[in-house]
Amino acid sequence: TLSVHLEDSTDLFSDLLNKKFCNYIENNFLSVINLSKYPKSGIDIFINIISVQDAEKLYLKTLSLASDATTLALVNAGIEIIDLVVSGFDLDNNSVLSFIKTNEIVGLLSESEDSLENLSEVIRKTQKKSAVVKNALTTYLISNSK
């Protein structure tokens, strides 16, 4: 099993937002953690939010960063994953998307005021940002594996 727990030291996140965060992270990582390697185990992910600037406006960016940090934490913990989950945040549309294999979407959360008629533009923007994160994570992991 996989469970995600969010600890918010800032007390800025409502219970609903806390639940959204946890569900988003859990759904993203259920698709990449090789759970068959851990048949009688529980994997618990604990996320601690220490500080957020402008939480009302940037909480989805915080989610994007938490998702990327979770990827790194799982690799660091030696949990077998089949791909890196990386996220991109689009401030203009207040949306976060998570990707594997460069362009396969595993997560989408949007609080856009507009209907997502421009979804392809949002995907393009967030893919570009997530590619930068994936490159940085991959470079870091390769340099630390030697």
Side-chain angles (χ1 to χ4, degrees), residues 14 16 19 21-22 30-31 34 43 50 54-55 62 77 82 93-94 99 109-110 112-113 116 143:
S14 66
L16 178 61
K19 200 173 274 194
F21 263 55
C22 292
L30 277 173
S31 65
N34 190 357
I43 298 173
I50 299 169
D54 197 2
T62 304
I82 56 177
N93 293 288
N94 202 20
F99 301 90
L109 186 58
S110 179
S112 177
E113 299 277 326
L116 285 178
S143 70

Side-chain angles (χ1 to χ4, degrees), residues 8 12 31 85 112 134:
D8 175 25
L12 295 173
S31 65
V85 175
S112 177
K134 189 167 193 168

Side-chain angles (χ1 to χ4, degrees), residues 40-106:
K40 295 182 180 183
S41 300
I43 298 173
D44 294 320
I45 298 171
F46 294 92
I47 299 170
N48 294 312
I49 306 283
I50 299 169
S51 174
V52 178
Q53 293 177 345
D54 197 2
E56 192 171 302
K57 185 177 179 183
L58 296 176
Y59 70 90
L60 289 178
K61 181 171 183 151
T62 304
L63 176 59
S64 174
L65 295 170
S67 179
D68 294 338
T70 300
T71 296
L72 196 55
L74 289 170
V75 169
N76 190 47
I79 304 293
E80 185 174 320
I81 56 176
I82 56 177
D83 202 351
L84 299 176
V85 175
V86 290
S87 300
F89 172 69
D90 179 13
L91 179 61
D92 297 330
N93 293 288
N94 202 20
S95 302
V96 61
L97 278 83
S98 295
F99 301 90
I100 59 173
K101 298 179 174 78
T102 307
N103 60 3
E104 187 176 321
I105 298 170
V106 292

